[in-house]
């Protein structure tokens, strides 16, 4: 069901299993139109400017319509989302992007000016059925610029709708059990999100201050210098004909690059093939989530020399692998080998601060190692146990158990 406005008149759109969308006026409920589709319809959404309509159903097809000046609906495009049926769709506040949530655990995003996907976002539990993407929403006010989508059970994901490279996943169900998610929405001012569960409605505050803050400014190149995509790179992301990114030159010996925006299922071989054109790739490290086994969306590429890493950094600003646009930045350091880690840990024990004390336990007749209280506090605030700033609207209480924030890629979008 969707409510929109045309020429000052409110309209109600109702999706049906009889493969139609029926349009009624409000409040009179007089039928104005019936839109026929080749599949049972699950969801429809009208763009905020009232000029376009998106509809999805029991197939992987996405149907786009133009709202004519007479208030009728003309199909203008059919797009393919993921591999399974589509559940819901949504427009952003400027009516130039729309997103579709799919049964196989992906959210696909398009710019209205292109038939190519802008992003394909995996759920945390993808490809498990619990990770089916159900509801999708864009923030509709101010400069918050977030996309939110829910999974079939337990997780809600927030995505930076400016770049679609930063994701934050929030487990809204207790850690020891799963719960179905009935729905999600932003408040009208986009300062709050609401998540419906089987037994409660949770409220989270959006960190609007950080969303209004941009980390850095940059000079914009003239159109004739930017190339077709406006970055100085060609369509493949190669910056061979662009000026080097000299402001980030390194002379500290670091040989690793940080790559973010990876699709789930990306392999080390995929990254090696893309980066070995610029030097000898010594190591590729793709971190994975301990519990789900999914990759966290970023990776580290280590070259055999800093000169090779610099060459790759200068020539690649972004590239596309497995349908995802990846960005490339300098890493903060090189990954340590196991021997280097053991050497570092050994040196730490030889002097200075005592990290632990061995004590004899009469209960079990053996020595045990105790940890300091400060260390225990740090452990209790691990990224899987950190209490989220959620409020149960039914009781008015803050939820101290069962709701934890898990940052998969990038910064936090919610206030902890």
């Amino acid at each position: 069901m969707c409510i929109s406005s045309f020429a000052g008149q409110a309209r109600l759109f109702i999706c049906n299993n009889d493969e139609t969308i029926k349009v009624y006026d409000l409040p009179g409920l007089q039928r104005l139109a019936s839109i026929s589709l080749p599949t049972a319809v699950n969801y429809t959404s009208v763009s905020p400017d009232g000029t376009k309509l998106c509809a999805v159903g029991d197939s992987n097809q996405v149907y786009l319509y133009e709202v004519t000046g007479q208030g009728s609906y003309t199909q203008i495009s059919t797009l393919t989302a993921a591999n399974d049926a589509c559940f819901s769709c949504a427009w952003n506040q400027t009516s130039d992007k729309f997103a579709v949530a799919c049964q196989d655990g992906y959210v696909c995003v398009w710019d209205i000016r292109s038939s190519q996907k802008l992003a394909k976002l995996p759920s945390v539990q993808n490809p498990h059925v619990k990770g089916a993407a159900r509801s999708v929403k864009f923030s509709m006010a101010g400069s918050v610029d977030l996309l939110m989508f829910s999974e079939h059970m337990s997780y809600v994901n927030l995505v930076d709708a400016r770049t679609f490279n930063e994701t934050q996943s929030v487990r809204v169900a207790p850690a020891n059990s799963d719960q179905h998610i009935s729905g999600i929405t932003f408040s009208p001012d986009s300062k709050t999100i609401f998540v419906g569960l089987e037994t409660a409605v949770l409220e989270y505050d959006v960190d609007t201050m950080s969303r209004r803050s941009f980390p850095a400014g940059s000079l914009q190149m003239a159109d004739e210098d930017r190339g077709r995509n406006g970055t100085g790179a060609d369509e493949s992301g190669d910056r061979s004909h662009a000026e080097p990114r000299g402001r980030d030159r390194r002379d500290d010996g670091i040989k690793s690059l940080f790559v973010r925006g990876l699709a789930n299922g990306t392999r080390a071989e995929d990254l090696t093939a893309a980066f070995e054109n610029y030097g000898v790739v010594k190591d590729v490290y793709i971190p994975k989530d301990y519990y789900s086994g999914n990759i966290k969306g970023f990776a580290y590429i280590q070259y055999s020399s800093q000169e090779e890493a610099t060459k790759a950094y200068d020539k690649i600003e972004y590239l596309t692998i497995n349908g995802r646009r990846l960005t490339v930045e300098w890493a903060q350091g090189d990954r340590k080998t196991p021997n280097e880690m053991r050497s570092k840990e050994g040196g730490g024990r030889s002097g200075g601060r005592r990290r632990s004390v061995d004590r004899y336990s009469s209960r079990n007749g053996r020595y045990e190692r105790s940890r300091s209280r400060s260390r225990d506090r740090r452990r209790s605030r691990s990224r899987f146990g950190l209490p989220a700033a959620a409020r149960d609207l039914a009781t008015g209480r803050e939820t101290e158990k069962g709701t934890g924030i898990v940052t998969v890629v990038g910064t936090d979008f919610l206030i902890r």
Side-chain angles (χ1 to χ4, degrees), residues 90-268:
W91 292 88
N92 70 341
Q93 62 177 316
T94 54
S95 301
D96 61 352
K97 296 181 181 66
F98 61 96
V100 173
C102 304
Q103 166 73 22
D104 53 1
Y106 287 98
V107 169
C108 300
V109 184
W110 285 268
D111 188 300
I112 193 64
R113 295 160 290 191
S114 173
S115 61
Q116 300 298 314
K117 293 185 184 73
L118 187 62
K120 186 177 180 182
L121 309 167
S123 65
V124 173
Q125 301 169 101
N126 168 292
H128 195 281
V129 66
K130 293 191 294 185
R134 296 292 188 182
S135 181
V136 61
K137 304 287 184 182
F138 280 95
S139 59
M140 300 302 289
S143 58
V144 174
D145 297 329
L146 290 176
L147 179 148
M148 173 171 56
F149 68 95
S150 64
E151 302 185 20
H152 178 55
M153 302 184 78
S154 302
Y155 281 90
V156 169
N157 303 276
L158 292 104
V159 183
D160 186 339
R162 298 167 189 159
T163 65
F164 299 98
N165 285 331
E166 306 279 335
T167 302
Q168 181 183 16
S169 296
V170 182
R171 183 176 177 87
V172 295
N176 57 352
S177 65
D178 287 314
Q179 286 193 21
H180 293 91
I181 297 175
S182 59
I184 55 172
T185 190
F186 285 91
S187 62
D189 59 7
S190 297
K191 294 181 179 179
T192 307
I193 68 171
F194 299 93
V195 181
L197 301 179
E198 299 172 14
T199 58
V201 176
L202 301 181
E203 176 184 9
Y204 295 83
D205 293 327
V206 176
D207 189 354
T208 56
M209 182 63 70
S210 67
R211 297 303 295 155
R212 291 195 297 267
S213 303
F214 292 83
S218 61
L219 295 177
Q220 187 174 12
M221 294 180 286
D223 290 342
E224 59 268 26
D225 294 330
R226 288 192 295 180
R228 291 177 60 194
N229 56 33
T231 64
D234 62 22
E235 291 301 315
S236 67
D238 193 303
R239 294 179 52 89
S240 300
H241 305 291
E243 289 296 319
R245 292 184 277 174
R247 62 182 177 83
D248 290 325
R249 297 300 247 189
R250 305 296 289 261
D251 57 2
D252 51 9
I254 291 177
K255 298 171 286 187
S256 296
L257 300 177
F258 176 72
V259 183
R260 61 183 176 182
L262 272 62
N264 194 32
T266 301
R267 304 170 303 164

Side-chain angles (χ1 to χ4, degrees), residues 1-152:
M1 187 173 66
C2 169
I3 296 177
S4 183
S5 177
F6 177 80
Q9 176 193 47
R11 291 187 171 187
L12 172 66
F13 298 77
I14 298 179
C15 304
N16 296 275
N17 283 332
D18 64 2
E19 302 183 353
T20 65
I21 302 171
K22 294 181 171 63
V23 186
Y24 299 87
D25 72 345
L26 289 176
L29 291 180
Q30 178 183 355
R31 184 184 294 185
L32 303 175
S34 180
I35 306 171
S36 296
L37 282 82
T39 185
V41 187
N42 292 328
Y43 205 94
T44 187
S45 178
V46 178
S47 60
D49 64 6
T51 63
K52 294 172 285 291
L53 178 147
C54 176
V56 297
D58 288 347
S59 74
N60 65 346
Q61 302 297 295
V62 181
Y63 305 93
L64 286 181
Y65 292 81
E66 179 184 16
V67 183
T68 68
Q70 292 73 39
S72 59
Y73 304 91
T74 303
Q75 186 173 350
I76 56 175
S77 180
T78 300
L79 304 170
T80 300
N83 296 320
D84 211 333
C86 304
F87 277 120
S88 61
C89 54
W91 292 88
N92 70 341
Q93 62 177 316
T94 54
S95 301
D96 61 352
K97 296 181 181 66
F98 61 96
V100 173
C102 304
Q103 166 73 22
D104 53 1
Y106 287 98
V107 169
C108 300
V109 184
W110 285 268
D111 188 300
I112 193 64
R113 295 160 290 191
S114 173
S115 61
Q116 300 298 314
K117 293 185 184 73
L118 187 62
K120 186 177 180 182
L121 309 167
S123 65
V124 173
Q125 301 169 101
N126 168 292
H128 195 281
V129 66
K130 293 191 294 185
R134 296 292 188 182
S135 181
V136 61
K137 304 287 184 182
F138 280 95
S139 59
M140 300 302 289
S143 58
V144 174
D145 297 329
L146 290 176
L147 179 148
M148 173 171 56
F149 68 95
S150 64
E151 302 185 20
H152 178 55

